[in-house]
Amino acid sequence: QVQLVASGGRSVQAGGYLRLSCTAPGFGAASCGWNWFRQTEGKQREWVSSLSTDGSTTYAESVKGRFTFVSANAKNTGDLQVYRLKPEDTAMYFCKARGMTCTFCGDDRCYGPPDDYSQGTQVNVSS
């Protein structure tokens, strides 16, 4: 069973940098689109960014110009680089893989993308 794990979150000062990773331990991803979401306590999960299987990227206005996918062409990683962090970026971040061509292969078996979000990774930005 493929399960996504988001990692890379930690406490940083405003203006800092993080790299958030989205992996499936034991599996290699290929030809996937990727979505990132974030959620703060008491609020609904909000969409942050998307990398489509054609390599196109979209970002929420609140993060545009500061968040960027590590490799828009690779489609085998959903890693997100986060620059110039702000206190309002403080949240639990989640990733999700998608796409008809998206596969996760390991131990000679391949699967489609999991339906579930990853477990979250906490980002705390102090002013």
Side-chain angles (χ1 to χ4, degrees), residues 99-117:
M100 296 294 291
T101 59
C102 178
T103 56
F104 289 83
C105 296
D107 291 334
D108 297 325
R109 294 193 67 177
C110 293
Y111 302 86
D115 293 330
D116 296 333
Y117 291 91

Side-chain angles (χ1 to χ4, degrees), residues 81-95:
Q81 296 187 111
V82 181
Y83 299 92
R84 301 190 300 280
L85 279 155
K86 301 178 180 180
E88 51 264 44
D89 294 321
T90 294
M92 185 76 77
Y93 283 72
F94 304 85
C95 64

Side-chain angles (χ1 to χ4, degrees), residues 1-109:
Q1 191 79 333
V2 179
Q3 290 186 321
L4 292 175
V5 174
S7 61
R10 59 182 174 88
S11 295
V12 296
Q13 288 192 323
Y17 163 85
L18 286 175
R19 176 169 173 158
L20 302 181
S21 293
C22 184
T23 59
F27 296 90
S31 302
C32 295
W34 301 91
N35 291 333
W36 280 91
F37 302 83
R38 65 187 181 187
Q39 187 171 20
T40 54
E41 193 169 346
K43 293 187 177 181
Q44 286 191 329
R45 190 170 296 180
E46 65 169 345
W47 167 78
V48 173
S49 58
S50 292
L51 168 61
S52 298
T53 52
D54 64 1
S56 61
T57 56
T58 51
Y59 301 92
E61 282 299 319
S62 59
V63 306
K64 197 174 289 185
R66 300 187 298 117
F67 288 28
T68 184
F69 282 95
V70 170
S71 176
N73 294 324
K75 297 189 275 293
N76 60 1
T77 174
D79 288 10
L80 196 66
Q81 296 187 111
V82 181
Y83 299 92
R84 301 190 300 280
L85 279 155
K86 301 178 180 180
E88 51 264 44
D89 294 321
T90 294
M92 185 76 77
Y93 283 72
F94 304 85
C95 64
K96 203 169 189 293
R98 62 187 177 90
M100 296 294 291
T101 59
C102 178
T103 56
F104 289 83
C105 296
D107 291 334
D108 297 325
R109 294 193 67 177

